[in-house]
């Protein structure tokens, strides 16, 4: 079996993987609640001869599918969680929730999980047909959105023993993710005060809401004194109720603190904690600080990126039908801005050239250039793929599944996520990942170069999860 036949295998079985993606899209289950989605993917793994282990790292919806034995051990990362409040009718070019306030796959994890599944199955077929030694692992990684499932899995040693990990993400274009993601901590601040009648006895009350609002003001002043790429977000999850004539006895806010490196996040976290404690002291209230989850920055691996890039170029290109293009144009007509290509590792000149070429297109099939000599930029988002990258050489691609103007976490990405256009991106991603894995197996020097780079970039550091041992993964709805 040659690589070309691997591509053909995925095309011949595209209905299987597209069906998995569509079922997961339909289920639209949020972080750590993805039981139907897990079962759907696990059933497919077992159908193709994989041994499945559920509940890994003490996470009910985390699982591993394994086939083969010995080295090299190649892992594929799959996600399948949805976002709350993102319900949207498939294929509709106007905002049209299926269920008002319901869930939806606004980040394309239905496609991601199915595409990585396709790559894992294709690599298994290649090894089996050619009688080659090697182990294929599919990692079912729940709760990427707001839960950092991979961080909890990494804390539990789930990725130990891998020689390389490969993954992808749906996006607006095809390319290597030659960027560093921001590390983050998610923290819940819970203020407790004393209720009282706000008019008759205000002197007896101690307002938890006052403490929380003062904390937010204090953090606002902190924003001037942190590293440039830092982002500090918050959501007030409990404002103390709906009665303004009560001194609010409870108030809570969920904070997300991001910075380029984990150690920077830790430093900012301690400073935010000081602000929270200070405002509790100033208002004579109490504050409880509850660590929810963390997410590591990415340890890039240009050696693996180079392998992926060659396979992005050699895999059969996506060809869209008139129907695909019509849906893309209809969705793009609801949006205003082009993607910021300068944030994904290309030069400003290349970005300008591509943006000019993209003008008038809704679905872009070209592969963005990759140069291993270029400086790695810091991307504005976060991903728990970073935690995997601290444990094993890891790399990721983007494959076109959305329109050019579609940002993640929008109704437009939900609408296109069950379409044939998105399915084509899924199969293309599977072909690229499987092709790269075959190269790593057939050429020992490629895997050796990736592992040497990993050791060099780690500089003797070891992965130590900042998540306290007693913290368990939880859905945000359960906080």
């Amino acid at each position: 079996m040659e690589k070309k036949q691997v591509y053909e295998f995925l095309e011949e079985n595209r209905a299987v993987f597209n069906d998995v993606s569509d079922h997961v899209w339909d289920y639209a289950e949020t972080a750590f609640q993805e039981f139907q989605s897990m079962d759907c993917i696990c059933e497919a793994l077992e159908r193709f001869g994989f041994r499945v282990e559920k509940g890994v790292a003490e996470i009910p919806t985390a699982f591993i599918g394994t086939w083969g034995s010995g080295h090299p051990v190649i892992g594929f990362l799959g996600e399948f969680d949805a976002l709350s409040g993102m319900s949207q009718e498939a294929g509709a070019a106007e905002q049209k929730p299926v269920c008002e306030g319901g869930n939806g796959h606004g980040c394309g994890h239905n496609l991601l999980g199915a595409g990585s599944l396709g790559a894992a199955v294709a690599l298994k077929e290649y090894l089996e047909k050619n009688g080659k030694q090697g182990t294929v692992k599919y990692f079912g990684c729940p709760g990427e959105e707001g839960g950092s499932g991979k961080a909890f899995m990494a804390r539990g040693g789930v990725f130990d023993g891998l020689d390389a990990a490969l993954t992808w993400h749906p996006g607006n274009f095809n390319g290597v993710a030659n960027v560093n993601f921001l590390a983050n901590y998610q923290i819940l601040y819970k203020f407790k005060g004393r209720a009282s009648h706000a008019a008759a006895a205000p002197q007896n009350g101690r307002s938890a809401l006052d403490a929380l609002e003062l904390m937010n003001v204090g953090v606002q002043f902190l924003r001037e004194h942190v590293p440039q790429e830092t982002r500090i977000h918050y959501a007030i999850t409990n404002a103390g109720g709906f009665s303004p004539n009560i001194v609010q006895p409870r108030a809570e806010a969920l904070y997300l603190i991001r910075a380029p490196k984990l150690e920077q996040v830790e430093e900012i976290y301690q400073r935010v904690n000081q602000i929270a404690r200070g405002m509790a002291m100033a208002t004579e209230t109490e504050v409880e600080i509850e660590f929810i989850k963390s997410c590591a920055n990415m340890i890039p691996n240009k050696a693996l990126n180079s392998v992926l890039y060659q396979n992005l170029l050699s895999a059969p290109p996506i060809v869209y039908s008139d129907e695909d293009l019509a849906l893309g144009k209809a969705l793009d007509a609801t949006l205003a801005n082009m993607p910021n290509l300068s944030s994904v590792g290309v030069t400003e000149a290349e970005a300008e050239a591509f943006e000019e070429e993209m003008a008038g297109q809704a679905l872009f099939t070209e592969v963005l250039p990759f140069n291993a000599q270029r400086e790695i930029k810091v991307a504005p988002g976060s991903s728990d793929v970073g935690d995997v990258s601290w444990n094993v050489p890891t790399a990721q691609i983007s494959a076109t599944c959305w329109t050019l103007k579609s940002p993640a976490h929008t109704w437009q990405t939900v609408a296109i996520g069950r379409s044939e256009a998105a399915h084509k991106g899924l199969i293309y991603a599977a072909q690229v990942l499987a092709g790269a894995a075959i190269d790593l197996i057939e050429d020992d020097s490629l895997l050796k170069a990736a592992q040497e780079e990993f050791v060099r970039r780690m500089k003797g550091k070891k992965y130590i999860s900042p998540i306290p041992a007693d913290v368990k993964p939880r859905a945000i709805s359960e906080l």
Side-chain angles (χ1 to χ4, degrees), residues 1 44-53 64-76 117 119-139 162 441:
M1 191 178 199
L45 285 165
E46 290 173 336
R47 200 183 321 149
F48 283 105
F50 282 72
R51 305 183 306 277
V52 173
E53 178 188 1
I64 304 174
T66 305
W67 182 90
S69 61
H71 288 270
V73 183
I74 307 297
F76 297 94
L117 169 68
V121 171
L123 180 59
K124 173 255 182 186
E125 289 292 312
Y126 178 85
L127 293 173
E128 189 173 41
K129 290 288 195 312
N130 293 316
K132 288 183 175 290
Q133 179 176 288
T135 303
V136 185
K137 285 183 174 285
Y138 177 96
F139 293 90
L162 278 181
I441 286 167

Side-chain angles (χ1 to χ4, degrees), residues 169-399:
H169 202 288
N172 315 84
F173 45 77
N174 305 311
V176 174
N178 190 40
V179 295
N180 195 352
F181 299 118
L182 295 172
N184 71 45
Y185 285 5
Q186 189 157 269
I187 314 295
L188 183 63
Y189 293 91
K190 303 166 77 172
F191 289 88
K192 182 180 178 182
R194 186 194 309 154
S196 181
H197 194 291
Q203 70 277 10
N204 294 331
R206 299 294 182 268
S207 174
L209 185 57
D210 284 355
L212 175 55
E213 289 190 288
L214 287 168
M215 176 192 170
N216 291 339
V217 171
V219 172
Q220 178 71 1
F221 283 103
L222 175 64
R223 288 187 170 94
E224 185 184 357
H225 307 287
V226 292
Q228 181 69 26
E229 300 88 352
T230 300
R231 300 288 185 271
I232 306 175
H233 323 285
Y234 71 93
I236 297 177
T237 56
N238 179 0
F242 302 100
S243 299
N245 63 336
I246 296 173
V247 175
Q248 309 293 0
R250 294 188 182 277
E252 300 176 5
L254 190 63
Y255 265 71
L256 184 62
I257 304 167
R258 306 188 206 235
K261 295 182 179 179
L262 266 176
E263 55 263 35
Q264 293 172 315
V265 177
E266 172 65 24
E267 180 183 347
I268 297 163
Y269 164 60
Q270 295 301 338
R271 296 175 73 184
V272 173
N273 288 352
Q274 289 288 78
I275 293 170
R277 294 188 186 105
M279 297 315 176
M281 184 182 297
T283 54
E284 298 182 68
T285 60
E286 299 173 10
V287 63
E288 179 185 345
I289 300 171
E290 190 174 339
F291 198 108
I292 304 301
K293 63 96 175 178
S294 72
C295 186
N297 54 287
M298 189 80 175
I299 304 297
N301 197 290
K302 291 184 176 182
L304 280 184
N305 283 342
S306 297
V307 177
L308 285 168
Y309 180 61
Q310 291 305 315
N311 281 276
L312 281 162
L313 297 175
S314 61
I318 300 171
V319 178
Y320 292 115
S321 66
D322 291 342
E323 185 179 349
D324 298 333
L325 295 171
L327 175 60
K329 287 181 179 178
L331 287 169
D332 245 16
T334 68
L335 295 156
N337 297 320
M338 293 285 283
N340 180 14
L341 295 181
S342 63
S343 69
V344 296
V346 300
T347 65
E348 288 188 13
E350 287 170 339
E352 287 178 8
F354 271 105
E355 285 168 4
E356 191 172 316
E357 186 178 343
M358 290 172 180
Q361 296 190 49
L363 295 165
F364 193 67
T365 59
E366 298 297 319
V367 176
L368 297 184
F370 165 73
N371 186 331
Q373 304 307 313
R374 287 180 185 161
E375 178 185 358
I376 295 172
K377 296 184 178 182
V378 177
S382 303
S383 170
D384 56 7
V385 173
D387 291 85
V388 183
S389 76
W390 279 71
N391 290 271
V392 59
T394 304
Q396 178 171 329
I397 62 164
S398 170

Side-chain angles (χ1 to χ4, degrees), residues 440-458:
L440 295 175
I441 286 167
E442 294 295 347
D443 187 345
D444 292 343
S445 67
L446 297 177
L447 194 54
K448 183 180 179 183
Q451 292 170 337
E452 288 175 348
E453 181 178 351
F454 173 75
V455 171
R456 189 169 63 252
R457 288 188 182 277
M458 289 298 290

